Amino acid sequence: MSTTLRTSALGVTAGLIGWFILVEIVSGILQGYYVPLLSDIVVELGIHDSDVNWFEAAQLLLSALVVPVLAKLGDMYGHKRILLITAVLTAAATWWLAFAASFWTFLIAWALQGFYVVWLPLEIALIFERGRRQRHGVSLTRRAAGLLVVGLQVGAIMGALAAGRIYAATSGDLTLTLVVPAIAVTVVALVIWVAVPESVPEPGRRQLDSGGFVLLAIALLLVTSALTFLRLNGPGAVWVWLLLLAGIGAFVVFGRFELTRPDPAVDVRMLARPEMWPVQATAFLVGISLLGAQGPLSTYAGTDPALGYGLGLDATDRSNIIGVYLVSLIVGAVLFAVTSRRASPRIVLIVAALLVGIGYALFLPFHRELWQVLLNLCIAGLGCGALVGALPAAAAAAAPRGRTGVASAMTNMTKTIGGTFSSALFGVVLAAGAGVVASETAASIGGYLTVWAVCAAGGFVAAALLLVVPRVAFADSDEAEAELPSGIVR
């Protein structure tokens, strides 16, 4: 009987993951396609290079605001329905981007394109809920999550490589070049509509905690605004710290309010469970290195070695370093998908976090040669690749029935906040060292050492936090996977 259930569950998951890999490839294309074209976009819109920062800031802010809401709606009304709606919205925004003729229209379209960030949490929830019926949802979701991350990173590489070539093939026609990702997202929306089955939402959940989401939005706006202005204005601006304190206070109010709600926007009690809070904390910590350390890496690689540090690489060689890092993420995700079949998922998470810590710790003594930088990045990339796939699946496994979508989405939100926090911190640290070296624009080696030390500490702290997770967490068991009444803790 067990073998039959496992085979059936595998078939369900294999059918879903084939389509979801396609969705994640397109998600990766969206993340990699526009980067090589930014200089041409700046010229086309007649704006300054520094204005490009507003594109990323607007999209990250929108993502942080809408992901919890959309994931909650998926838990309430069906994950496929929300996945399809966000795919249609993303397609519309991507078509708008292709024909946007001014900075403001392009900025709005770019921000609205950020709806794609909820795709992965919704896919994880769909796979988990389908597999759960055969009592093997946890292990199958772990394997699926690793393969979805592979699709995501492959798509990012494809997008980065294809953009410049398509732009050249169209004789520099930017509009025609930007139509290509719009077509890809449109196709994906059709695939979701036709091929993806719907999940079964929990009955009786039709009232959205709008008050909770408003408080969450205010808290996120205050904190992300404070961190953005910290990077732009430095730590000397008192109002930056006032904004940050107000944001922290808003989160406290939000948490207390949620404890009084029968069906909260974010289940605070769920987040406090011993198998859940270390996962969310790890997502925050991995965001520090995954999202916050790439800018410093690029500037270090381009720094003139005549200063006594740096690699002195041009833009092409710097992009090759990022490419090697992305490949290591893919390998890490594949290894996670393979090893999670046999090894304890808790141990896999701990080892992955340790790899992140070791990789960045090696930067402290070894950073003078290209091969050293590549080796360090590959070690850290293996750990990051495994964690990116593992964390949403681990959160889904630790969540009660009917809350898998929002639990998975919370790992995305905390990761984004971690990346925003570290980006602001690293910007201040590196700027503090500028001007004290031979170059007026280069950061000091002390600034880079601080960045690497913070990333290493994040990995080691995450590994330590995961040690407190119960040994049986995230594992399949008949008791854990049986059909339980709503609200029963697994």
Side-chain angles (χ1 to χ4, degrees), residues 1-17 126-141 143 197 476:
M1 180 66 175
S2 177
T3 303
T4 303
L5 286 173
R6 184 178 298 274
T7 303
S8 175
L10 181 60
V12 169
T13 305
L16 280 175
I17 196 173
L126 274 164
I127 293 170
F128 185 80
E129 291 298 331
R130 297 281 292 185
R132 196 175 201 169
R133 300 172 193 175
Q134 281 78 25
R135 302 184 183 183
H136 294 287
V138 177
S139 59
L140 293 174
T141 302
R143 290 174 237 166
D476 285 319

Side-chain angles (χ1 to χ4, degrees), residues 251-302:
F251 270 115
V252 173
V253 173
F254 165 75
R256 290 180 176 177
F257 178 80
E258 292 299 272
L259 289 173
T260 67
R261 308 299 293 172
D263 190 10
V266 176
D267 191 338
V268 177
R269 292 184 178 87
M270 176 188 73
L271 293 180
R273 291 167 61 174
E275 67 269 39
M276 178 64 77
W277 71 261
V279 172
Q280 302 295 343
T282 298
F284 175 89
L285 293 168
V286 77
I288 292 176
S289 57
L290 186 65
L291 302 178
Q294 301 316 303
L297 170 65
S298 180
T299 57
Y300 178 82

Side-chain angles (χ1 to χ4, degrees), residues 86-106:
T86 56
V88 171
L89 291 172
T90 303
T94 308
W95 280 105
W96 187 1
L97 272 179
F99 296 97
S102 69
F103 169 74
W104 288 108
T105 55
F106 197 92

Side-chain angles (χ1 to χ4, degrees), residues 240-372:
V240 169
W241 300 106
L242 293 176
L243 270 178
L244 186 58
L245 287 175
I248 294 173
F251 270 115
V252 173
V253 173
F254 165 75
R256 290 180 176 177
F257 178 80
E258 292 299 272
L259 289 173
T260 67
R261 308 299 293 172
D263 190 10
V266 176
D267 191 338
V268 177
R269 292 184 178 87
M270 176 188 73
L271 293 180
R273 291 167 61 174
E275 67 269 39
M276 178 64 77
W277 71 261
V279 172
Q280 302 295 343
T282 298
F284 175 89
L285 293 168
V286 77
I288 292 176
S289 57
L290 186 65
L291 302 178
Q294 301 316 303
L297 170 65
S298 180
T299 57
Y300 178 82
T303 298
D304 188 349
L307 297 175
Y309 57 94
L311 302 178
L313 302 179
D314 60 19
T316 300
D317 289 334
R318 292 198 299 272
S319 66
N320 290 337
I321 289 181
I322 299 299
V324 171
Y325 179 65
L326 290 176
V327 170
S328 70
L329 289 176
I330 294 174
V331 174
V334 171
L335 289 177
F336 165 71
V338 173
T339 57
S340 64
R341 299 183 182 186
R342 298 178 179 85
S344 163
R346 173 175 167 271
I347 298 300
V348 172
L349 284 168
I350 293 171
V351 171
L354 286 174
L355 286 175
V356 175
I358 292 170
Y360 279 100
L362 287 173
F363 270 105
L364 300 178
F366 305 115
H367 53 261
R368 296 293 301 274
E369 304 293 335
L370 176 59
W371 69 267
Q372 295 173 341

